[in-house]
Amino acid sequence: MPIIKVNNLSKAFGGVKAVSNINMSVEAGEIAGIIGPNGAGKTTFFNLLTGIYTPTSGEVIYNLERKISSKSFKPYKMTGYGVARTFQNIRLFKNMSVLDNVLIGCHNNMSYGLLSSLLHLPAFRRSEAKAYDEAIKLLDIFGLADKKDEPASKLPYGEQRKVEIARALAAKPKLLLLDEPAAGMNPNETKELTKLISWIKDEFKLTIILIEHDMSLVMGICSKIFVFDYGNLIASGTPTEVQNNEQVIKAYLGGE
Amino acid sequence: MEQLIQQLVNGVSLGSIYALIALGYTMVYGIINLINFAHGDIYMIGAYIGFALTTFLHLGFFPALILSMLLTSMLGMVIEKVAYKPIRKSTRIAALITAISVSLFLEYGMMYFVKPETRTFPEVLPNKQISIFNTSAVLDIKNIYILVVTITLMLILQYVIYKTKVGKAMRAVSLDSDAAQLMGIDINKTISYTFAIGSALAGAAGVLVGSYYNSINPLMGVVPGLKAFVAAVIGGIGVIPGAVLGGFFLGFTETLVSAFGGSLYKDAVAFAVLILVLLIKPKGLLGRNIREKV
Amino acid sequence: MKLINKKNMLGFLAVILTYAIAGFLIDKGFIDSYIFLNIVLIGINIILAVSLNLITGFTGQFSLGHAAFMSIGAYTSGILTAKLGLPFWVGILGAALLAAVAGIIIGIPTLRLKGDYLAIATLGFGEIVKIIGLNTDYIGGATGLNDIPRYTTWTWLYFCVVVTVLLISNFIKSYKGRACISIGEDEIAAEAMGVNTTYYKVLAFTLGSFFAGIAGALYANYFYFIKPDSFGFMKSIDILVIVVFGGMASIKGSILGAVLLSLISLFLQGIPELRMVVYAVILFLIMVYRPQGIIGKGEFKLFKKRGGLNANNQSK
């Protein structure tokens, strides 16, 4: 039973098809990679998966805790459905501390009332203490616990990417969507991140879909790869299959 | 019916004034993203310059109009250089508060110099009324002056924006200032011209209103300024035809509301229309919707 | 996370001491009615600024209509205490609740708008509220509402200021408050993390309006007399100026800003003719030389550059 199923998904912006007719599925526990040249529609695809865009036609069906179709997607509901994501251009809350960034990730799992918020009643303290522990645990995993009070914008680029992943994990997702997690990292950092991604996948029992340009990362950990070009899914399969696919080679190297 | 015709005539005049002021708001917003709250006060100063020229120098309507436009355009450029240039890279709220400080400065500075009382603008336009289609509705010759002057100015503006180098530069800067700069356009000069043109139009509106209603005071710019701004937003701020559309739309709406006995609420209706338009078309009637890139 | 610690205890003591000392000075006549009037104004401005800071500074929603909520509170308390003869606490509570309801009604449609557009829409709503007030005979129309009993004492004032500051500071530190701040920082990321942005924007707006209503009640029951013009667009601007001058998203800043700006306008009363001109120059200088305010934190969204000079990519 696939955890995510995409049926004939298309998205057009004023006549320009950014994504057309995508069919795919990912099984639980997989790490799937999405690759393709710039402007191939990868991020648009992620935005469709997370309700930021509504499909022009077709649909996305999640089979996480329960069956959800893209008809009932709304960006703020996705973490509740078990889907969390990071962004290509890092969207941390820059002036908030690293800790607060991760605590926002816990948002959906907290639920004390307005009165508790205003008066700091026991429910407030209980819930906040629990969230604090969880957030610290996550920051520990990424080696960032000692930087918890720094404003997120003060961290180096690579660490900001990690905070973003920690923040997504704080939402306790079943499916994690990573948009270019290794962008801007040097080869050593990328290697470390590659290990970390496959480790958190097992540790948190996740399914991961990631967009990435760094082939060492993609080929290293993805069990399945989808190749986008001009909004179309031109190939899919295991890393080896994709590497030998003629259409893929053409898309990457150009030519006829 | 007669009253309706009468109100339509008034609507054209009021709409012309709003449109003239709204053009300045929209041009400035289009080019530097600033809600220039001081714009209504430039209109007020335009009226005072017109008043001084006609009362003390006994100039006729047209010389006063042209001189007033010239002087307000210079004032607009000075304001931009002194007050807005230092905050050009600053934030929305800081820019807004700066614009408000300029507005207060002009209002109360004027009040200090010319005293707060209302002045009577001399009769510089022929005071003749024509009955429309033999009804009791009358068309004041002044209405025709307002409309003709407004349309002429708009045609000139159209020419400047689409046929001259300055206009091309203005359009380029409002589209993408960085790219415009790379193409060798002098941003500072272009912004200066924009303020000059916008302020001249506001100055013209000031003289027109002064000679139409015959009374002016240092706070006369506040309400029309706000309304013209509303008109610009209704039409789609930053879009030049939008300002004209919004101006006339608001002018007609207000006079119609007055015609149906709601004159006490006409300002409220103007704002209600604004909110309604924004909710249905968040960027105004002619505004373009731009999606945020994720 | 402990409720009673050294810092809390010291703060608590300072709050009680300030209350007692000032109360004593007022009692013994060391603080005369003129000084007290200014203290009342400062207190009201603190409540207004802190509550607007929740909306504009923390949640990043640019509002130019805060005075409207104050006016709703002022009139509500005026009617409850003057016309219906009810006690002050009913007036305050009624004022806060009605202002909050108005906040919900106005917030739900307008908070879909962003940036300058939201500012314009809230400005419009503020003016509509004012015009309705001007044309409603029951509350005196343009001439205003008279003979409101003077219930605002030092105790009420101090109590309301402390409660406002405390509750809003607490709220900011809760997960709901964090959600509001995250919206101010990056709305798209906040949504992606499960924050129902519409709900939290309306919540912040409603809470802010609630406390503005309290400020209105204190105002009405101190000055005997209120009229719609006192709560126009310029009053909203004045509150915004305090928030910006004090520092966006800083509660301490708002308090300090309210005190300093009230003092500045007090001194300017010595030159009535040039008062506004000098005020305008001061505003201008602050915006040019200290746009981040006295206690400025980092770059907040509303505090970011206006997209270079670019009209079209402003929301990036």
Side-chain angles (χ1 to χ4, degrees):
Chain A
M1 188 73 189
I3 200 167
I4 165 173
K5 207 164 167 0
V6 177
N7 297 326
N8 299 319
L9 189 70
S10 298
K11 177 69 188 177
F13 295 108
V16 182
K17 277 206 165 180
V19 161
S20 57
N21 240 1
I22 306 284
N23 285 291
M24 66 183 279
S25 63
V26 175
E27 303 289 329
E30 273 189 300
I31 298 183
I34 296 178
I35 61 172
N38 285 323
K42 304 183 298 290
T43 296
T44 305
F45 180 64
F46 259 29
N47 289 340
L48 286 163
L49 294 188
T50 49
I52 289 175
Y53 297 155
T54 35
T56 309
S57 63
E59 68 173 342
V60 180
I61 295 166
Y62 286 126
N63 205 343
L64 300 158
E65 275 132 55
R66 58 205 166 94
K67 222 174 186 162
I68 305 282
S69 139
S70 49
K71 289 190 183 66
S72 50
F73 283 8
K74 277 220 168 95
Y76 76 89
K77 286 187 175 165
M78 302 316 290
T79 54
Y81 296 156
V83 181
R85 72 172 289 181
T86 66
F87 294 90
Q88 182 181 352
N89 43 353
I90 307 190
R91 283 178 172 269
L92 285 177
F93 307 114
K94 295 190 179 67
N95 299 301
M96 295 172 85
S97 69
V98 169
L99 176 66
D100 277 349
N101 266 278
V102 179
L103 283 174
I104 290 283
C106 303
H107 181 81
N108 261 3
N109 308 318
M110 304 181 78
S111 63
Y112 54 85
L114 183 58
L115 221 53
S116 287
S117 307
L118 292 170
L119 300 174
H120 286 191
L121 299 177
F124 162 86
R125 256 166 285 134
R126 238 178 292 128
S127 181
E128 288 291 332
K130 188 165 158 261
Y132 178 86
D133 289 343
E134 280 171 19
I136 292 292
K137 217 177 279 170
L138 279 168
L139 285 174
D140 261 333
I141 290 174
F142 290 90
L144 292 166
D146 52 331
K147 295 196 173 174
K148 69 179 164 62
D149 294 322
E150 281 190 47
S153 58
K154 292 279 176 333
L155 261 52
Y157 198 75
E159 291 187 346
Q160 290 194 22
R161 289 236 172 254
K162 287 182 183 171
V163 176
E164 222 193 1
I165 298 176
R167 182 179 72 179
L169 286 174
K172 297 188 178 148
K174 295 263 186 310
L175 173 65
L176 182 63
L177 305 174
L178 302 174
D179 198 345
E180 300 198 22
M185 287 189 178
N186 65 36
N188 272 333
E189 288 174 316
T190 306
K191 212 182 258 171
E192 193 201 335
L193 182 76
T194 311
K195 272 188 216 147
L196 196 63
I197 290 175
S198 60
W199 185 83
I200 55 172
K201 189 211 91 178
D202 294 329
E203 177 71 17
F204 295 94
K205 300 186 178 58
L206 295 172
T207 307
I208 295 176
I209 303 179
L210 54 87
I211 295 175
E212 190 46 71
H213 285 296
D214 190 299
M215 287 306 148
S216 70
L217 189 151
V218 177
M219 299 302 167
I221 52 173
C222 295
S223 48
K224 203 178 204 177
I225 291 172
F226 299 94
V227 190
F228 278 49
D229 193 24
Y230 293 110
N232 294 301
L233 180 63
I234 56 167
S236 64
T238 62
T240 356
E241 281 167 8
V242 165
Q243 268 167 319
N244 297 322
N245 184 306
E246 263 178 51
Q247 257 187 307
V248 176
I249 295 164
K250 252 194 249 165
Y252 269 86
L253 300 178
E256 283 310 293
Chain B
M1 187 62 204
E2 280 158 9
Q3 224 215 321
L4 197 66
I5 295 175
Q6 186 66 59
Q7 292 296 354
L8 283 179
V9 171
N10 296 344
V12 172
S13 298
L14 189 62
S16 305
I17 301 295
Y18 284 159
L20 280 180
I21 311 176
L23 279 167
Y25 267 116
T26 246
M27 287 166 69
V28 167
Y29 192 91
I31 217 151
I32 56 170
N33 271 346
L34 169 82
I35 302 177
N36 181 14
F37 266 103
H39 194 62
D41 302 303
I42 294 187
Y43 148 87
M44 174 270 293
I45 288 175
Y48 268 94
I49 294 173
F51 168 80
L53 293 173
T54 50
T55 312
F56 303 124
L57 299 179
H58 305 290
L59 292 182
F61 173 73
F62 283 108
L65 179 78
I66 290 165
L67 260 175
S68 176
M69 287 175 68
L70 218 62
L71 290 171
T72 44
S73 72
M74 278 152 68
L75 176 68
M77 291 203 281
V78 170
I79 289 175
E80 193 275 320
K81 281 277 172 294
V82 175
Y84 296 147
K85 205 167 170 217
I87 52 115
R88 210 182 275 169
K89 293 274 179 207
S90 95
T91 63
R92 262 161 210 286
I93 284 193
L96 183 90
I97 293 178
T98 307
I100 286 166
S101 77
V102 173
S103 164
L104 290 176
F105 184 82
L106 293 178
E107 282 162 19
Y108 290 90
M110 268 312 259
M111 213 179 248
Y112 184 74
F113 284 115
V114 303
K115 302 297 165 235
E117 64 258 23
T118 298
R119 306 264 178 169
T120 310
F121 207 94
E123 291 280 351
V124 283
L125 291 177
N127 202 354
K128 205 177 141 206
Q129 298 183 329
I130 314 164
S131 138
I132 309 167
F133 309 130
N134 295 322
T135 62
S136 68
V138 288
L139 177 65
D140 205 314
I141 292 288
K142 290 173 177 176
N143 291 119
I144 299 179
Y145 269 90
I146 289 186
L147 189 64
V148 169
V149 169
T150 304
I151 290 177
T152 313
L153 289 178
M154 282 174 187
L155 290 176
I156 296 173
L157 179 70
Q158 187 78 3
Y159 176 80
V160 169
I161 288 176
Y162 289 98
K163 297 280 169 184
T164 64
K165 230 176 151 180
V166 177
K168 207 181 260 176
M170 280 163 54
R171 282 184 292 142
V173 174
S174 86
L175 220 54
D176 187 334
S177 61
D178 294 335
Q181 198 156 23
L182 290 176
M183 298 312 290
I185 290 174
D186 184 339
I187 302 262
N188 287 329
K189 229 176 172 176
T190 310
I191 293 175
S192 252
Y193 283 134
T194 309
F195 270 86
I197 295 172
S199 304
L201 294 175
V207 176
L208 285 173
V209 163
S211 40
Y212 185 64
Y213 294 108
N214 298 110
S215 90
I216 58 174
N217 69 68
L219 294 180
M220 67 183 275
V222 179
V223 174
L226 216 52
K227 296 287 194 51
F229 172 53
V230 165
V233 179
I234 288 176
I237 196 154
V239 185
I240 287 175
V244 178
L245 175 74
F248 281 106
F249 179 72
L250 197 64
F252 282 120
T253 313
E254 275 191 24
T255 44
L256 284 179
V257 170
S258 299
F260 290 108
S263 61
L264 288 175
Y265 284 97
K266 70 175 166 40
D267 291 359
V269 170
F271 287 110
V273 168
L274 163 80
I275 292 163
L276 222 64
V277 168
L278 283 183
L279 291 179
I280 298 162
K281 288 209 72 183
K283 301 272 160 166
L285 294 175
L286 302 182
R288 287 153 299 177
N289 264 324
I290 291 126
R291 177 179 284 281
E292 181 163 6
K293 194 167 159 50
V294 180
Chain C
M1 288 282 167
K2 261 203 302 195
L3 187 63
I4 302 161
N5 56 30
K6 215 171 169 186
K7 208 176 146 209
N8 281 353
M9 281 306 288
L10 279 177
F12 184 71
L13 263 172
V15 166
I16 295 288
L17 265 174
T18 313
Y19 169 72
I21 292 171
F24 175 78
L25 291 177
I26 292 164
D27 245 19
K28 296 289 169 219
F30 290 113
I31 290 177
D32 61 17
S33 61
Y34 179 68
I35 301 177
F36 186 61
L37 169 110
N38 285 291
I39 292 177
V40 171
L41 285 176
I42 290 174
I44 289 171
N45 279 339
I46 290 175
I47 297 178
L48 290 169
V50 171
S51 58
L52 180 64
N53 208 340
L54 174 63
I55 299 170
T56 302
F58 289 101
T59 316
Q61 305 305 306
F62 198 166
S63 168
L64 288 182
H66 209 53
F69 300 107
M70 181 191 181
S71 81
I72 289 169
Y75 273 98
T76 309
S77 182
I79 291 166
L80 291 175
T81 55
K83 295 211 174 211
L84 306 177
L86 293 166
F88 194 28
W89 69 268
V90 179
I92 293 182
L93 204 65
L97 288 176
L98 212 68
V101 169
I104 297 177
I105 294 170
I106 292 172
I108 288 176
T110 45
L111 286 168
R112 289 193 293 161
L113 301 168
K114 288 182 170 61
D116 290 339
Y117 291 94
L118 176 63
I120 298 154
T122 48
L123 185 160
F125 262 117
E127 291 300 295
I128 290 174
V129 168
K130 189 180 98 184
I131 292 161
I132 292 174
L134 285 172
N135 292 306
T136 308
D137 292 333
Y138 178 69
I139 52 167
T143 47
L145 186 61
N146 274 309
D147 300 325
I148 303 166
R150 174 174 275 185
Y151 287 150
T152 302
T153 57
W154 167 241
T155 306
W156 272 114
L157 180 76
Y158 196 73
F159 175 74
C160 290
V161 170
V162 170
V163 164
T164 305
V165 171
L166 195 71
L167 293 190
I168 292 183
S169 312
N170 273 354
F171 177 78
I172 287 307
K173 286 180 207 129
S174 73
Y175 86 100
K176 286 180 198 289
R178 264 198 310 272
C180 290
I181 301 173
S182 75
I183 294 170
E185 292 259 333
D186 186 332
E187 204 171 326
I188 287 176
E191 268 194 317
M193 294 326 297
V195 174
N196 182 347
T197 50
T198 315
Y199 172 81
Y200 283 102
K201 281 187 208 170
V202 175
L203 179 65
F205 204 71
T206 308
L207 269 179
S209 309
F210 180 91
F211 290 107
I214 294 181
L218 291 170
Y219 182 92
N221 290 83
Y222 184 79
F223 289 98
Y224 307 115
F225 163 71
I226 46 175
K227 61 182 203 305
D229 288 332
S230 318
F231 310 105
F233 156 64
M234 271 319 294
K235 180 68 194 168
S236 295
I237 295 287
D238 284 343
I239 307 169
L240 183 71
V241 166
I242 298 177
V243 172
V244 174
F245 177 60
M248 297 273 276
S250 161
I251 294 202
K252 279 190 202 109
S254 285
I255 298 171
L256 209 61
V259 175
L260 284 178
L261 276 175
S262 304
L263 289 180
I264 288 176
S265 75
L266 182 64
F267 288 124
L268 289 181
Q269 278 168 11
I271 38 163
E273 282 176 331
L274 281 172
R275 188 173 71 91
M276 290 304 283
V277 179
V278 176
Y279 179 66
V281 173
I282 293 174
L283 274 193
F284 175 71
L285 293 177
I286 295 171
M287 286 309 114
V288 173
Y289 292 105
R290 189 101 188 130
Q292 74 275 41
I294 315 171
I295 304 184
K297 289 193 189 167
E299 294 237 314
F300 278 82
K301 185 138 194 199
L302 282 168
F303 255 126
K304 249 188 262 167
K305 277 202 242 168
R306 282 168 286 145
L309 287 173
N310 226 325
N312 297 331
N313 330 332
Q314 37 167 305
S315 52
K316 249 182 219 167

